[in-house]
Amino acid sequence: MVSERLMPPMSETTAQSNVVTRFAPSPTGFLHIGGGRTALFNWLYARGRGGRFLLRIEDTDRERSTPEATAAILRGLAWLGLDWDGEVVSQFDRKDRHAEVAHQMLARGTAYKCFSTQEEIAAFKAAEEAAGRYPVFLSPWRDADPASWPDAPYVIRMKAPRAGETVIEDRVQGRVVIRNETLDDMIVLRSDGTPTYMLAVVVDDHDMGVTHVIRGDDHLNNAARQQMVYDAMGWGVPVWAHIPLIHGPDGKKLSKRHGATGVEEYQAMGYPAAGMRNYLTRLGWAKGDAEIFSTAEALEMFDLDGIGRAPARLDFKKLENTCGHHIAMMDDAALLQELDLYLAAAHRPALDAGQHARLSAALPSVKDRAKTLPELLEKAQFALISRPVRMDDAAALALDDAGRDLLRGLTPRLQSADWTKAALEPVLAGFAAERGLGFGKLAAPLRAALSGRSVTPSVYDMMLVIGRDETLARLADAVR
RNA sequence: GGCCCGUUCGUCUAUCGGUUAGGACAUCUGGUUUUCAACCAGGCAAGAGGGGUUCGACUCCCCUACGGGCUGCCA
């Protein structure tokens, strides 16, 4: 028996508005960066086609599932801006439905009760291995007469085809053929009546109307067994798309030692969500030479064909570069909001109203200079501080006798100048020229007096942002 | 061990039998400049190895190597 099936018709046009995807994490920890990308791909694919994106928490493992993990996953998704349709589905809550389907399989003859004990199975596998065969368990109960059934605990096993092959038509991996003899009769319902993952995913995906299963390629082999369940129930198989996992910078599986593995850690490091989405979208997916794009553009462009088959490595340099572009592109109000979120996530003190206003004024002059949110704050430092300005070593050096003398000479001219860049430029340039100095010689002490540092945005930008009074006050402090 | 998947510049990738193998990040050089960043110009840099198929392979097939996944009454 060959359970091969044709790919469902799914030209982009017919699939238009009825695409349903889902993200189905198990709540055993924070939202992993790889999971975040999987969610993103599902979200992009569905939303980009006017379809629906669903969220299901696979919490059937009661030992390891925690409400805290679920909350963390939801927070991570929310930060990434991945909103889902409808209620969050709890897989555990659907256990009765899963059991019901298992019994339907029994009734249809596509599953059977297996009374073998775990000891018997272990012994069987050991014997097989000793004989040099794959330890694929062949249950003696597969075709047993119900009359022979003992009054003992049993599991329900899928009656999987023993011969032939199962073919997965995968939109990313291509045509994957698995010989049925390498697959055993998997358990669909445990002896305690609870469903296994293999049954639960299929039932839930079917009931939720999922049309496209986009998930990590660690599930590629599972797809064959799951497809058998679809076949057993006479259900239509969804479109499969198994995407490669993300690796650390060294090419190894992403783990704690690579630093950040949780989505929320990236938020706390100050990467803006829009930049994160852009970077993650491009990690393992491409459309021509598109590199920097908005979420709206990503929605427009994203498709399954652009997904690569090899695992991609995380590259923080490129992440930063991408985020830098997004910080520069973001409008000030959105940026300010992003900044507040970051401060909270990083457990840093929030900005007060005054700082908010000054930061807002400073944003245009600093936002194209920062790659991360903390860097942005750092560059805007001149607007956030209050007098007296604390000088760092380099700034103190610039405010030597000669520097202070320059500032004393400059002060009266500033008092009478119009406070615009156009008016200020000739004033400063003229003053420097009078003293026979290059502009840089004047800018250094001025920069130091205004910011207490030697590295800042343009001196004009700083003066304009903090205003005439504050500028003069800082100069007065510096020459005192 | 068995089965499945993968392998283009350091990194992310384009290429869907015929290209000087393109772009981006990183890096290097030069320019601009008011510090830093940005920006502009340019440079370096790739088809894992070996067999086929073909007039012609990065592209199709096979083998090997390396990496990954699965092989649970976990998900």
Coordinates of all heavy atoms in Angstrom, one line a residue, chain A residues 268-346:
Chain A
A268 N 15.6 43.1 25.4 CA 16.4 43.7 26.5 C 17.7 44.2 26.0 O 18.3 45.1 26.6 CB 16.6 42.7 27.6
M269 N 18.2 43.7 24.9 CA 19.5 44.2 24.4 C 19.3 45.5 23.6 O 20.2 46.2 23.2 CB 20.2 43.2 23.5 CG 20.8 42.1 24.4 SD 21.9 41.0 23.3 CE 20.6 40.0 22.6
G270 N 18.0 45.8 23.3 CA 17.7 47.0 22.6 C 17.6 47.0 21.1 O 17.8 48.0 20.5
Y271 N 17.3 45.8 20.6 CA 17.0 45.7 19.2 C 15.5 46.1 19.0 O 14.7 45.5 19.6 CB 17.3 44.3 18.6 CG 18.7 43.9 18.7 CD1 19.1 43.0 19.7 CD2 19.7 44.5 17.9 CE1 20.5 42.6 19.8 CE2 21.0 44.2 18.1 CZ 21.4 43.2 19.0 OH 22.7 42.9 19.1
P272 N 15.2 47.0 18.1 CA 13.8 47.4 17.8 C 13.1 46.2 17.1 O 13.7 45.5 16.4 CB 13.9 48.6 16.9 CG 15.2 48.4 16.2 CD 16.1 47.8 17.2
A273 N 11.8 46.0 17.5 CA 11.1 44.9 17.0 C 11.0 44.9 15.4 O 11.1 43.8 14.8 CB 9.6 44.9 17.5
A274 N 10.9 46.1 14.8 CA 10.8 46.1 13.4 C 12.1 45.6 12.7 O 12.1 44.9 11.7 CB 10.5 47.5 12.9
G275 N 13.2 46.0 13.3 CA 14.5 45.5 12.8 C 14.7 44.0 13.0 O 15.2 43.3 12.1
M276 N 14.2 43.6 14.1 CA 14.3 42.2 14.5 C 13.5 41.4 13.4 O 13.9 40.3 12.9 CB 13.7 42.0 15.9 CG 14.2 40.8 16.6 SD 15.9 40.9 17.0 CE 16.2 39.1 17.1
R277 N 12.3 41.9 13.1 CA 11.4 41.2 12.2 C 12.1 41.1 10.8 O 12.1 40.1 10.1 CB 10.1 41.9 12.0 CG 9.0 41.5 13.0 CD 7.7 42.0 12.5 NE 7.6 43.4 12.4 CZ 7.3 44.2 13.4 NH1 7.1 43.8 14.6 NH2 7.2 45.5 13.2
N278 N 12.7 42.2 10.4 CA 13.4 42.3 9.1 C 14.5 41.3 9.1 O 14.7 40.5 8.1 CB 13.9 43.7 8.9 CG 14.5 44.0 7.5 OD1 14.6 45.1 7.1 ND2 14.8 43.0 6.8
Y279 N 15.3 41.3 10.1 CA 16.5 40.4 10.1 C 16.1 39.0 10.1 O 16.6 38.2 9.4 CB 17.3 40.7 11.4 CG 18.5 39.8 11.5 CD1 19.6 39.9 10.6 CD2 18.5 38.7 12.4 CE1 20.6 39.0 10.6 CE2 19.5 37.8 12.4 CZ 20.6 37.9 11.5 OH 21.6 37.0 11.6
L280 N 15.1 38.7 11.0 CA 14.6 37.3 11.1 C 14.0 36.8 9.8 O 14.1 35.6 9.4 CB 13.6 37.2 12.2 CG 14.0 36.4 13.5 CD1 15.5 36.3 13.7 CD2 13.3 37.1 14.7
T281 N 13.3 37.7 9.1 CA 12.7 37.4 7.8 C 13.7 37.0 6.8 O 13.6 36.0 6.0 CB 11.8 38.5 7.3 OG1 10.8 38.9 8.3 CG2 11.1 38.2 6.0
R282 N 14.8 37.8 6.8 CA 15.9 37.6 5.8 C 16.8 36.4 6.2 O 17.6 35.9 5.4 CB 16.8 38.8 5.8 CG 16.5 39.7 4.6 CD 16.6 39.1 3.3 NE 17.9 39.2 2.6 CZ 18.8 38.2 2.5 NH1 18.4 37.0 3.0 NH2 19.9 38.3 2.0
L283 N 16.6 35.9 7.4 CA 17.5 34.8 7.9 C 16.9 33.5 7.4 O 16.0 32.9 8.0 CB 17.6 34.8 9.4 CG 18.6 33.9 10.0 CD1 20.1 34.3 9.6 CD2 18.5 34.0 11.5
G284 N 17.4 33.0 6.3 CA 16.8 31.8 5.7 C 15.7 32.0 4.7 O 15.1 31.0 4.2
W285 N 15.5 33.2 4.3 CA 14.6 33.5 3.3 C 15.1 34.7 2.5 O 15.8 35.6 3.0 CB 13.2 33.9 3.9 CG 12.2 34.4 2.8 CD1 11.4 33.6 2.1 CD2 12.0 35.7 2.4 NE1 10.7 34.4 1.2 CE2 11.0 35.7 1.4 CE3 12.5 37.0 2.8 CZ2 10.6 36.8 0.7 CZ3 12.1 38.1 2.1 CH2 11.1 38.0 1.1
A286 N 14.9 34.7 1.2 CA 15.3 35.8 0.4 C 14.4 36.0 -0.8 O 13.7 35.0 -1.3 CB 16.7 35.6 -0.2
K287 N 14.3 37.2 -1.3 CA 13.6 37.5 -2.5 C 14.5 38.5 -3.3 O 14.6 39.6 -3.0 CB 12.3 38.2 -2.1 CG 11.4 38.6 -3.3 CD 10.4 37.5 -3.6 CE 9.3 37.9 -4.6 NZ 8.4 36.8 -4.8
G288 N 15.2 37.9 -4.2 CA 16.1 38.7 -5.0 C 17.1 39.4 -4.1 O 17.7 38.8 -3.2
D289 N 17.3 40.7 -4.3 CA 18.3 41.4 -3.5 C 17.7 42.2 -2.3 O 18.4 43.1 -1.7 CB 19.1 42.4 -4.4 CG 20.0 41.7 -5.3 OD1 20.4 40.5 -5.0 OD2 20.4 42.2 -6.4
A290 N 16.5 42.0 -2.0 CA 15.8 42.7 -1.0 C 16.5 42.5 0.4 O 16.7 41.4 0.8 CB 14.3 42.3 -0.9
E291 N 16.9 43.6 1.0 CA 17.6 43.4 2.3 C 16.8 44.2 3.4 O 16.5 43.6 4.4 CB 19.0 44.0 2.2 CG 19.9 43.2 1.3 CD 20.4 41.9 1.9 OE1 20.1 41.7 3.1 OE2 21.0 41.1 1.2
I292 N 16.6 45.5 3.2 CA 16.0 46.3 4.2 C 14.5 46.6 3.7 O 14.3 47.1 2.6 CB 16.7 47.6 4.4 CG1 18.2 47.4 4.8 CG2 16.0 48.5 5.4 CD1 18.4 46.6 6.1
F293 N 13.6 46.1 4.5 CA 12.2 46.4 4.1 C 11.3 46.5 5.3 O 11.6 46.0 6.4 CB 11.7 45.2 3.2 CG 12.2 43.9 3.6 CD1 11.6 43.2 4.7 CD2 13.2 43.2 3.0 CE1 12.0 42.0 5.1 CE2 13.6 42.0 3.4 CZ 13.0 41.3 4.5
S294 N 10.2 47.2 5.1 CA 9.2 47.3 6.2 C 8.4 46.1 6.4 O 8.5 45.2 5.5 CB 8.3 48.5 5.9 OG 7.5 48.1 4.8
T295 N 7.7 46.0 7.4 CA 6.9 44.8 7.7 C 5.8 44.7 6.6 O 5.5 43.6 6.1 CB 6.2 44.9 9.0 OG1 7.3 44.9 10.0 CG2 5.4 43.6 9.3
A296 N 5.3 45.8 6.2 CA 4.3 45.8 5.1 C 4.9 45.2 3.8 O 4.2 44.5 3.1 CB 3.8 47.2 4.8
E297 N 6.1 45.6 3.5 CA 6.8 45.1 2.3 C 7.0 43.6 2.5 O 6.9 42.8 1.5 CB 8.1 45.9 2.1 CG 7.8 47.3 1.6 CD 9.1 48.1 1.6 OE1 10.0 47.9 2.5 OE2 9.2 49.0 0.8
A298 N 7.4 43.2 3.7 CA 7.7 41.8 3.9 C 6.4 41.0 3.7 O 6.4 39.9 3.1 CB 8.2 41.6 5.3
L299 N 5.3 41.5 4.2 CA 4.0 40.8 4.0 C 3.7 40.7 2.5 O 3.2 39.6 2.1 CB 2.9 41.7 4.6 CG 2.2 41.4 5.9 CD1 2.6 40.1 6.6 CD2 2.2 42.5 6.9
E300 N 4.1 41.7 1.8 CA 3.8 41.7 0.3 C 4.7 40.7 -0.4 O 4.3 39.9 -1.3 CB 4.2 43.1 -0.2 CG 3.9 43.3 -1.6 CD 2.4 43.5 -1.9 OE1 1.7 43.8 -1.0 OE2 2.1 43.3 -3.1
M301 N 6.0 40.6 0.0 CA 6.9 39.7 -0.7 C 7.0 38.3 -0.2 O 7.4 37.4 -1.0 CB 8.4 40.3 -0.5 CG 8.6 41.6 -1.1 SD 10.4 42.1 -0.9 CE 10.5 42.3 0.8
F302 N 6.8 38.0 1.1 CA 7.1 36.7 1.6 C 6.3 35.6 0.9 O 5.2 35.7 0.6 CB 6.7 36.7 3.1 CG 7.2 35.4 3.7 CD1 8.5 35.3 4.1 CD2 6.3 34.3 3.9 CE1 9.0 34.1 4.7 CE2 6.8 33.2 4.5 CZ 8.1 33.0 4.9
D303 N 7.1 34.5 0.6 CA 6.5 33.3 0.1 C 7.3 32.1 0.5 O 8.4 32.3 1.0 CB 6.3 33.4 -1.4 CG 7.7 33.5 -2.1 OD1 8.7 33.4 -1.4 OD2 7.8 33.7 -3.3
L304 N 6.8 30.9 0.3 CA 7.4 29.7 0.7 C 8.6 29.4 -0.2 O 9.6 28.8 0.2 CB 6.4 28.6 0.7 CG 5.7 28.2 2.0 CD1 5.8 29.3 3.1 CD2 4.3 27.7 1.8
D305 N 8.5 29.8 -1.4 CA 9.6 29.5 -2.4 C 10.9 30.1 -2.1 O 12.0 29.6 -2.5 CB 9.2 29.9 -3.8 CG 7.9 29.2 -4.3 OD1 7.7 28.0 -3.9 OD2 7.1 29.8 -5.0
G306 N 10.9 31.2 -1.3 CA 12.1 31.9 -1.0 C 12.9 31.3 0.2 O 13.9 31.8 0.5
I307 N 12.3 30.3 0.8 CA 12.9 29.8 2.0 C 14.1 28.8 1.6 O 13.9 27.9 0.8 CB 11.9 29.0 2.9 CG1 10.8 30.0 3.3 CG2 12.6 28.4 4.1 CD1 9.7 29.3 4.1
G308 N 15.2 29.0 2.2 CA 16.4 28.1 1.9 C 16.3 26.8 2.6 O 15.5 26.6 3.6
R309 N 17.1 25.9 2.2 CA 17.1 24.5 2.8 C 18.2 24.3 3.9 O 18.1 23.3 4.6 CB 17.1 23.5 1.7 CG 16.0 23.5 0.8 CD 16.3 23.2 -0.6 NE 17.5 24.1 -1.1 CZ 17.3 25.3 -1.5 NH1 16.1 25.8 -1.6 NH2 18.4 26.0 -1.8
A310 N 19.1 25.2 3.9 CA 20.2 25.0 4.8 C 20.0 25.8 6.1 O 19.5 26.9 6.0 CB 21.5 25.3 4.2
P311 N 20.5 25.3 7.2 CA 20.3 26.1 8.5 C 21.2 27.4 8.3 O 22.2 27.4 7.8 CB 20.9 25.2 9.6 CG 21.7 24.2 8.8 CD 21.1 24.0 7.5
A312 N 20.6 28.5 8.9 CA 21.3 29.8 8.8 C 21.9 30.1 10.2 O 21.4 29.7 11.2 CB 20.3 30.9 8.4
R313 N 23.0 30.9 10.1 CA 23.6 31.3 11.4 C 23.2 32.7 11.7 O 23.1 33.5 10.9 CB 25.2 31.2 11.2 CG 25.7 29.9 10.8 CD 27.2 30.0 10.7 NE 27.7 28.8 10.0 CZ 28.9 28.3 10.1 NH1 29.8 29.0 10.9 NH2 29.3 27.3 9.5
L314 N 23.1 32.9 13.0 CA 22.8 34.2 13.6 C 24.1 35.1 13.4 O 25.2 34.7 13.7 CB 22.5 34.0 15.0 CG 21.3 34.6 15.7 CD1 20.1 34.7 14.8 CD2 21.0 33.8 16.9
D315 N 23.9 36.3 12.9 CA 25.0 37.2 12.7 C 24.6 38.5 13.4 O 23.8 39.3 12.8 CB 25.3 37.4 11.2 CG 26.5 38.3 11.0 OD1 27.0 38.9 11.9 OD2 26.8 38.5 9.8
F316 N 25.2 38.8 14.5 CA 24.8 40.0 15.3 C 25.2 41.3 14.5 O 24.5 42.3 14.7 CB 25.5 39.9 16.7 CG 24.7 39.0 17.6 CD1 25.1 37.7 17.6 CD2 23.7 39.5 18.4 CE1 24.4 36.8 18.5 CE2 23.0 38.6 19.2 CZ 23.3 37.3 19.2
K317 N 26.3 41.2 13.8 CA 26.7 42.4 13.0 C 25.6 42.8 12.0 O 25.3 44.0 11.9 CB 28.0 42.2 12.3 CG 29.2 42.1 13.2 CD 29.6 43.4 13.7 CE 30.9 43.3 14.4 NZ 31.2 44.6 15.1
K318 N 25.1 41.8 11.3 CA 24.1 42.2 10.4 C 22.8 42.5 11.0 O 22.0 43.4 10.6 CB 23.8 41.0 9.4 CG 22.9 41.3 8.3 CD 23.1 40.5 7.1 CE 22.2 41.0 5.9 NZ 22.5 40.3 4.7
L319 N 22.5 41.9 12.2 CA 21.3 42.2 12.9 C 21.4 43.7 13.3 O 20.4 44.5 13.1 CB 21.3 41.4 14.2 CG 20.0 41.1 15.0 CD1 20.2 41.0 16.5 CD2 18.8 42.1 14.7
E320 N 22.5 44.1 13.8 CA 22.7 45.5 14.2 C 22.5 46.5 13.0 O 21.9 47.5 13.1 CB 24.1 45.7 14.8 CG 24.2 45.3 16.2 CD 25.6 45.6 16.8 OE1 26.4 46.3 16.2 OE2 25.9 45.1 17.9
N321 N 23.1 46.1 11.9 CA 23.1 46.9 10.7 C 21.6 47.1 10.3 O 21.1 48.2 10.0 CB 23.9 46.3 9.6 CG 23.8 47.2 8.4 OD1 22.9 47.1 7.6 ND2 24.8 48.0 8.2
T322 N 20.9 46.0 10.3 CA 19.5 46.0 9.9 C 18.7 46.9 10.9 O 17.9 47.7 10.5 CB 18.9 44.6 9.9 OG1 19.6 43.8 9.0 CG2 17.4 44.6 9.5
C323 N 19.0 46.7 12.2 CA 18.2 47.5 13.2 C 18.6 49.0 13.0 O 17.7 49.9 13.2 CB 18.6 47.0 14.6 SG 17.8 45.5 14.9
G324 N 19.8 49.3 12.7 CA 20.2 50.7 12.5 C 19.4 51.4 11.4 O 18.9 52.5 11.5
H325 N 19.1 50.7 10.3 CA 18.3 51.2 9.2 C 16.9 51.4 9.7 O 16.3 52.4 9.4 CB 18.3 50.2 8.1 CG 19.5 50.2 7.2 ND1 20.5 49.4 7.3 CD2 19.8 51.1 6.2 CE1 21.4 49.7 6.4 NE2 21.0 50.7 5.7
H326 N 16.4 50.5 10.5 CA 15.0 50.7 11.0 C 14.9 51.8 12.0 O 13.9 52.5 12.0 CB 14.5 49.3 11.6 CG 14.0 48.4 10.5 ND1 12.7 48.4 10.0 CD2 14.7 47.5 9.7 CE1 12.7 47.5 9.0 NE2 13.8 47.0 8.9
I327 N 15.9 52.0 12.8 CA 15.8 53.1 13.8 C 15.8 54.4 13.0 O 15.0 55.3 13.3 CB 17.0 53.1 14.8 CG1 16.8 51.9 15.8 CG2 17.1 54.4 15.5 CD1 18.0 51.7 16.7
A328 N 16.6 54.5 12.0 CA 16.6 55.7 11.1 C 15.3 55.9 10.4 O 14.9 57.0 10.2 CB 17.8 55.6 10.2
M329 N 14.6 54.8 10.0 CA 13.4 54.9 9.2 C 12.2 55.2 10.1 O 11.2 55.8 9.6 CB 13.1 53.6 8.5 CG 14.1 53.3 7.4 SD 13.5 51.9 6.4 CE 13.2 50.6 7.6
M330 N 12.2 54.8 11.3 CA 11.0 54.9 12.2 C 10.7 56.3 12.5 O 11.5 57.2 12.7 CB 11.4 54.2 13.5 CG 10.4 53.1 13.9 SD 10.9 52.4 15.5 CE 12.3 51.3 15.0
D331 N 9.4 56.6 12.6 CA 9.0 58.0 12.9 C 9.2 58.2 14.4 O 9.2 57.2 15.2 CB 7.6 58.3 12.5 CG 6.5 57.5 13.2 OD1 6.3 57.8 14.4 OD2 5.9 56.7 12.6
D332 N 9.4 59.4 14.8 CA 9.8 59.7 16.2 C 8.8 59.2 17.3 O 9.3 58.7 18.3 CB 9.9 61.2 16.4 CG 11.1 61.8 15.5 OD1 11.8 61.0 14.9 OD2 11.2 63.0 15.5
A333 N 7.6 59.3 17.0 CA 6.6 58.8 18.0 C 6.8 57.3 18.2 O 6.8 56.8 19.4 CB 5.2 59.1 17.5
A334 N 6.9 56.5 17.1 CA 7.0 55.1 17.3 C 8.3 54.7 18.0 O 8.4 53.8 18.8 CB 7.0 54.5 15.9
L335 N 9.4 55.5 17.6 CA 10.7 55.3 18.2 C 10.6 55.5 19.7 O 11.2 54.8 20.5 CB 11.7 56.2 17.6 CG 13.2 55.8 17.6 CD1 13.4 54.3 17.3 CD2 14.0 56.7 16.7
L336 N 9.9 56.6 20.1 CA 9.8 56.9 21.5 C 9.1 55.8 22.3 O 9.5 55.4 23.4 CB 9.0 58.2 21.7 CG 9.6 59.3 22.5 CD1 11.1 59.5 22.4 CD2 8.9 60.6 22.1
Q337 N 8.1 55.2 21.7 CA 7.4 54.2 22.3 C 8.2 52.9 22.4 O 8.2 52.2 23.4 CB 6.2 53.8 21.3 CG 4.9 53.4 22.0 CD 3.7 53.4 21.1 OE1 3.9 53.1 19.9 NE2 2.6 53.7 21.6
E338 N 9.0 52.6 21.4 CA 9.9 51.5 21.3 C 10.9 51.7 22.5 O 11.3 50.7 23.1 CB 10.6 51.5 20.0 CG 11.4 50.2 19.7 CD 10.6 49.1 19.1 OE1 9.7 49.4 18.3 OE2 10.9 47.9 19.5
L339 N 11.4 52.9 22.6 CA 12.4 53.2 23.7 C 11.8 52.9 25.1 O 12.5 52.3 25.9 CB 12.7 54.7 23.6 CG 14.1 55.2 23.2 CD1 15.1 54.1 22.8 CD2 14.1 56.3 22.2
D340 N 10.6 53.3 25.3 CA 10.0 53.1 26.6 C 9.9 51.6 26.9 O 10.1 51.1 28.0 CB 8.6 53.7 26.6 CG 8.6 55.2 26.7 OD1 9.7 55.7 27.2 OD2 7.7 55.9 26.3
L341 N 9.5 50.8 25.8 CA 9.4 49.4 26.0 C 10.7 48.8 26.3 O 10.8 47.9 27.1 CB 8.9 48.8 24.6 CG 7.5 48.2 24.5 CD1 6.5 48.9 25.5 CD2 7.0 48.3 23.1
Y342 N 11.7 49.3 25.6 CA 13.1 48.8 25.8 C 13.5 49.0 27.3 O 14.1 48.1 27.9 CB 14.1 49.4 24.9 CG 15.5 49.4 25.4 CD1 16.2 48.2 25.5 CD2 16.1 50.6 25.9 CE1 17.5 48.2 26.0 CE2 17.3 50.6 26.4 CZ 18.0 49.4 26.5 OH 19.3 49.3 27.1
L343 N 13.3 50.2 27.7 CA 13.8 50.6 29.1 C 13.1 49.7 30.1 O 13.8 49.2 31.0 CB 13.4 52.0 29.4 CG 14.4 53.2 29.3 CD1 15.7 52.8 28.7 CD2 13.8 54.4 28.7
A344 N 11.9 49.4 29.9 CA 11.2 48.5 30.8 C 11.7 47.1 30.8 O 12.0 46.4 31.8 CB 9.7 48.5 30.5
A345 N 12.0 46.6 29.5 CA 12.5 45.3 29.3 C 13.9 45.1 29.9 O 14.2 44.0 30.4 CB 12.5 44.9 27.8
A346 N 14.6 46.2 29.8 CA 16.0 46.1 30.3 C 16.1 46.5 31.8 O 17.2 46.5 32.3 CB 16.9 47.0 29.4

